[in-house]
Amino acid sequence: MSSENSSADDVQQVWDVVVVGAGPAGASAAYAAAVAGRRVLLLEKAELPRYKTCGGGIIGPSRDSLPPGFELPFQDRVHAVTFSNNGRFTRTRRSRQMLFGLINRPEFDQQLVEHAQKAGAELRTGATVTRVEQHGSAVPDRRTVAVVLQGGEAVLARAVIGADGSASRIGAHVGVKLDQVDLGLEAEIPVPETVAEDWKGRVLIDWGPMPGSYGWVFPKGDTLTVGVISARGEGAATKRYLEDFIGRLGLAGFEPSISSGHLTRCRADDSPLSRGRVLVCGDAAGLLEPWTREGISFALRSGRLAGEWAVRIAEAHDAVDARRQALNYAFAIKAGLGVEMSVGKRMLALFERRPGLFHAALTGVRPAWRAFTDITRGRTTLGELVRSHPLAQRALNAVDRRQAAAAASTDTGAGAGAGAGTGTGTGTSVGADKDGVDEVGS
C-alpha cells in the first residue's frame, strides 16, 4: 500500500515553478524563485554552454540586475566609442570611467545558471518543450500546469515561466503579439594581436544605410564581434551592409570563427504577458529596447520579476487569485520596462528619419554624449531621460504628431520617402574633423 502511494507521488511530482529556457531571462527567473525557497526546475533544450548571436554588451541596468556575488566575466571594458554615419564622419568620444563591459554569452549564461543552481534550482538540459497544457488529461487539478516534453513526458508545476527565446512555444501559448521584427547578422572574427590592441577598450557604432539600421564592433580579447541589424524583409541589403562594413574596417581578410543570424522581436503594446498560471519574460515576451534592440538588461529584469510573481502564482489556491498575481506581474513590467520600450519606439521613429541628427548630437553636443554615458552606466533610463529633458520631450512629441498626420493622410508615399533620408546634411558639420577625438572627463 505505502509502496503504491510512493509510486503515485513520484509520477505526480509537482514543482512549484518550472522555467523553460536557460538564457539570461530564464536563469534570472529560476534564481529569483529558488532564492525564495521554492522547488524550481529549469529546462533547457541545448547542452550548456551554447553560443547565442549577441553583441554581449553589459550596461548598467544589466549589472544592477545580477545576483549578489556575481562576478562579470568581462572580455573588455569600454572607455571609448567611435561613431560613424554609414562609414563617414567618424569621430571618437572617450571617458575616464568605464562606459560598459563586454562578455561572451556562453560563459555569461553558464554563470547565471550556476547561480540559480546554487540558490536551489534544478537544471535539466536536452529537454525540448513541445507544448503547455492548463486543462485536459495531463493536468491533475486546476492548480497545476503540464509542460509536455518531446517524447510525451509531462512535467507538472504550480506556475510556469516561458523564457524560451524569440521563437517561444510558451509565448505562442500565451498569445504574445509582435510589433517589430528585426534581423541581426553577426560574425565572430579572430584577429592578430596588433589588430586586437587597436580596438582594446573601444567600440564602434555605425549608423547604417537602411532606415533604423546600425552596425557595431565589440572587442573581446583576440576576437572582434562585428554585427549589423535592420528591419526584417531587408535580408539581402542587411547581408550586403555587413559585408561592406567588414570590408571598410579592413577585416575582410580574416576568417570568422562563427557567422550567425537572429531575429529580434518587440511586443505590441497590447500583447499579453500571461495566461492562467503561465508567465512569459525576456525575448519570449518580446521585451527588448526597440531602438538599440538591447535585450540582456530586459531579460534579466523581466526574468527576476517573473520569478518573484511566479512564486505568488504557485501559492494561489484558485484561478481568481492566480489571475490577480499575473496582472500584478504585467503591471510591474509595463510600469518599468514598458515605459522604456514606449520611449524607445519613438526614438527609433526619429532615428529612422534623421540618423545624421543623432550622429551630430552624440559626436558634437556634450549633453547628448553625457546622456549616452548615463544610460550605459545605469544612472538613468531612456524614460527618465525624456521626462527630465524638455528638449527631448519636444522632439519626440514632434515625431508623434508627424506619425499621426502621416496615418491620417491619404498620400503616404511622399512621407515614406522623406522618412528614408539619411540626414547626412546634419552630419556634414561634424565631418569637418573626420577623426576628431573628444576627451570627456566623466
Side-chain angles (χ1 to χ4, degrees):
M1 183 78 173
S2 61
S3 173
E4 289 175 7
N5 287 339
S6 174
S7 175
D9 288 344
D10 288 341
V11 171
Q12 293 296 319
Q13 180 189 16
V14 181
W15 298 86
D16 292 321
V17 179
V18 167
V19 183
V20 182
S28 183
Y31 174 86
V35 85
R38 298 305 183 270
R39 292 170 299 161
V40 179
L41 177 63
L42 179 58
L43 300 174
E44 167 60 43
K45 67 180 178 182
E47 297 298 328
L48 299 176
R50 78 301 185 237
Y51 179 80
K52 286 286 183 181
T53 304
C54 177
I58 299 295
I59 59 175
S62 299
R63 179 200 63 224
D64 297 340
S65 302
L66 294 167
F70 190 99
E71 292 188 16
L72 279 158
F74 283 145
Q75 302 297 310
D76 204 347
R77 290 168 168 79
V78 176
H79 287 81
V81 183
T82 298
F83 295 99
S84 60
N85 192 354
N86 197 20
R88 296 172 294 173
F89 315 128
T90 302
R91 193 163 195 177
T92 299
R93 304 207 73 163
R94 302 185 185 278
S95 172
R96 294 190 184 97
Q97 295 180 31
M98 186 178 86
L99 296 170
F100 56 96
L102 301 174
I103 52 92
N104 286 323
R105 279 288 302 276
E107 187 180 1
F108 177 70
D109 291 11
Q110 175 74 37
Q111 207 167 307
L112 282 171
V113 168
E114 288 170 359
H115 272 261
Q117 289 177 290
K118 287 174 188 172
E122 185 172 317
L123 171 68
R124 182 171 168 186
T125 59
T128 299
V129 173
T130 59
R131 66 185 187 279
V132 174
E133 294 184 8
Q134 301 196 62
H135 308 282
S137 58
V139 183
D141 59 61
R142 303 176 98 178
R143 288 189 60 207
T144 308
V145 182
V147 179
V148 183
L149 306 182
Q150 202 170 60
E153 179 189 353
V155 178
L156 303 181
R158 298 294 183 208
V160 171
I161 299 172
D164 49 336
S166 60
S168 169
R169 288 185 183 274
I170 313 301
H173 172 81
V174 167
V176 171
K177 293 188 286 186
L178 303 167
D179 195 39
Q180 172 189 329
V181 183
D182 296 289
L183 171 64
L185 299 177
E186 194 168 76
E188 301 285 352
I189 305 178
V191 293
E193 186 177 344
T194 51
V195 176
E197 189 62 31
D198 181 53
W199 284 97
K200 188 172 182 176
R202 177 174 66 93
V203 301
L204 169 65
I205 298 175
D206 177 72
W207 315 120
M210 297 89 74
S213 66
Y214 74 96
W216 61 90
V217 180
F218 285 179
K220 298 171 185 175
D222 60 0
T223 298
L224 300 179
T225 298
V226 183
V228 301
I229 195 162
S230 185
R232 185 177 67 170
E234 297 279 354
T238 306
K239 185 179 180 185
R240 189 163 54 250
Y241 175 30
L242 178 60
E243 291 170 351
D244 292 346
F245 187 42
I246 290 173
R248 68 174 180 246
L249 290 168
L251 301 173
F254 304 116
E255 186 68 26
S257 58
I258 300 174
S259 294
S260 61
H262 178 67
L263 291 176
T264 64
R265 298 173 168 93
C266 287
R267 68 187 294 273
D269 289 338
D270 61 346
S271 178
L273 290 159
S274 68
R275 178 180 173 185
R277 290 175 174 267
V278 178
L279 305 178
V280 285
C281 61
D283 284 344
L287 291 167
L288 71 157
E289 201 282 293
W291 174 33
T292 64
R293 291 82 157 185
E294 191 278 322
I296 294 178
S297 77
F298 278 69
L300 292 169
R301 290 181 284 173
S302 65
R304 186 186 71 240
L305 288 170
E308 292 168 355
W309 288 105
V311 167
R312 295 173 173 87
I313 290 172
E315 294 168 348
H317 290 286
D318 56 43
V320 173
D321 191 20
R323 175 65 176 158
R324 180 161 52 245
Q325 304 304 338
L327 287 172
N328 286 337
Y329 166 68
F331 178 80
I333 291 290
K334 291 173 183 177
L337 299 179
V339 171
E340 290 181 43
M341 288 188 71
S342 176
V343 174
K345 286 180 182 178
R346 297 160 77 196
M347 294 286 281
L348 176 64
L350 181 58
F351 173 65
E352 286 174 339
R353 293 179 58 87
R354 301 293 298 278
L357 179 65
F358 279 79
H359 185 71
L362 285 167
T363 58
V365 180
R366 186 173 290 270
W369 167 248
R370 194 167 297 280
F372 175 88
T373 64
D374 284 346
I375 289 172
T376 60
R377 291 183 183 133
R379 291 175 180 168
T380 188
T381 65
L382 269 177
E384 291 167 356
L385 195 67
V386 170
R387 279 196 297 271
S388 60
H389 286 71
L391 186 62
Q393 287 182 9
R394 286 200 296 272
L396 293 186
N397 287 339
V399 171
D400 293 342
R401 288 193 298 272
R402 190 178 293 114
Q403 288 183 319
S409 172
T410 53
D411 183 15
T412 57
T422 61
T424 51
T426 309
T428 305
S429 60
V430 177
D433 179 12
K434 289 188 67 177
D435 297 305
V437 176
D438 287 348
E439 294 290 347
V440 180
S442 59

